[in-house]
Amino acid sequence: MADVTRAPIGCGVALAVCLSACGGAQTGAAAAGVTIDPLVFLTELGAGGAPHLFVLPTRSIDALEEARRGARGDERRLLERELVVASIFAADGADAREARRIRQRAERALDAAGRGSRDAGLVAELDFLRLWMTWRAGARDRADRLAERFVGRHAAAGLLTGLAYMVRGENAFEDRRYDDAIRHFRFGLGQLGTGLYAYALYRTAHAHGARGQRDEGIATLREVEQLGCAPDAERTIARVAAAAATELETGLRQGEDGVVRPASCRAARERESTGWRPAE
């Protein structure tokens, strides 16, 4: 899937003219700018916290089917969960007819894995995988219903709960229900210092811009931009910050650590080191 940002509000898109700060320096890999695709980025966030649900299994579907046949109880349920994850990836690369067949088989595996399980954590993972597979398939209405049910049943499922809210936000955004999108993205704003927080703030900026709140959208993008300036900011945060800087056209720089950050971060550090301040 192409790594593109939906409905950006940066210069040349929703602004009549660029900000006065547009045109900052860009070097190396930063020159092309940084963009964010919701599905790609949220998958990466998921892989960072729950790789067993978001990373392609090493065993093939056929191998997992074979292993499942001889397993019982919890072992079988875990194999069925792994089979669903493998199926999600396989469906992405298949034609429409084959993808439907793969997903139908995965639905049966989800039903079998959840049947009789008393493991609340496993049940939450299975419910999330059903939601995730449905969203990836492009069935927004059903995905939204599953996401609503998920956050109601699994309000304390950590990262999975956060991702379910982001799915709801993305679905609302796609349907131009921007107030609902902002409401769903708000869950991520409680996760300070994480990539989920940066992403939720970034998409909230887009929702503000899409409903005509240009100044609020730009101000929120500037908040996102500054999140990447902390030396210890994790890479997912730095990437979202760089995407915000790309839309604001304030420039990017690649640091010695290889991480692309907003050029405004360097400018701020230089002002601090030299004691320079803007004229009163």
Side-chain angles (χ1 to χ4, degrees), residues 5-273:
T5 303
R6 295 176 187 171
I9 64 169
C11 297
V13 178
L15 309 188
V17 293
C18 284
L19 304 175
S20 60
C22 285
Q26 301 187 28
T27 60
V34 174
T35 56
I36 299 293
D37 176 276
L39 177 55
V40 173
F41 188 81
L42 294 178
T43 299
E44 182 178 350
L45 284 182
H52 60 292
L53 301 181
F54 294 91
V55 176
L56 179 66
T58 57
R59 287 183 285 186
S60 68
I61 289 178
D62 289 342
L64 289 167
E65 290 274 18
E66 179 63 29
R68 183 178 64 163
R69 279 192 280 272
R72 295 290 183 273
D74 288 343
E75 181 187 2
R76 184 181 178 91
R77 292 189 181 96
L78 294 178
L79 285 167
E80 285 166 335
R81 182 189 65 189
E82 191 174 354
L83 177 62
V84 172
V85 175
S87 297
I88 289 173
F89 282 93
D92 283 347
D95 61 43
R97 183 175 181 180
E98 177 64 9
R100 282 195 300 272
R101 188 187 67 80
I102 292 171
R103 292 185 182 113
Q104 287 169 356
R105 181 172 60 185
E107 291 274 5
R108 290 193 294 271
L110 283 168
D111 291 340
R115 195 175 298 125
S117 176
R118 297 181 179 179
D119 184 335
L122 177 61
V123 170
E125 290 179 346
L126 297 173
D127 284 349
F128 182 83
L129 285 173
R130 194 185 303 274
L131 155 64
W132 192 246
M133 180 171 64
T134 303
W135 187 52
R136 288 178 75 106
R140 285 210 312 273
D141 289 345
R142 182 175 183 237
D144 202 51
R145 292 193 297 271
L146 289 171
E148 181 179 15
R149 186 172 69 178
F150 184 90
V151 299
R153 291 182 174 180
H154 308 292
L159 175 62
L160 300 185
T161 303
L163 292 174
Y165 272 109
M166 296 306 101
V167 169
R168 296 205 73 193
E170 290 301 332
N171 286 340
F173 193 100
E174 287 285 343
D175 291 337
R176 300 185 180 183
R177 294 182 286 109
Y178 302 121
D179 289 348
D180 287 341
I182 290 171
R183 177 167 55 87
H184 297 316
F185 289 138
R186 190 174 296 136
F187 181 90
L189 301 183
Q191 315 301 310
L192 291 172
T194 68
L196 191 67
Y197 173 85
Y199 179 83
L201 191 62
Y202 176 69
R203 293 299 279 149
T204 297
H206 291 165
H208 284 311
R211 68 177 181 177
Q213 297 173 311
R214 173 185 180 276
D215 291 344
E216 190 166 356
I218 292 172
T220 305
L221 273 185
R222 284 176 171 155
E223 288 184 53
V224 177
E225 183 182 32
Q226 292 307 302
L227 293 176
C229 295
D232 59 347
E234 62 180 67
R235 285 178 180 261
T236 54
I237 296 174
R239 187 177 311 150
V240 179
T246 296
E247 294 183 29
L248 292 168
E249 296 186 6
T250 51
L252 300 173
R253 292 184 184 274
Q254 187 169 19
E256 294 180 0
D257 56 1
V259 177
V260 175
R261 294 184 175 88
S264 59
C265 296
R266 178 173 175 177
R269 287 195 299 271
E270 289 173 348
R271 287 196 296 271
E272 291 172 0
S273 63

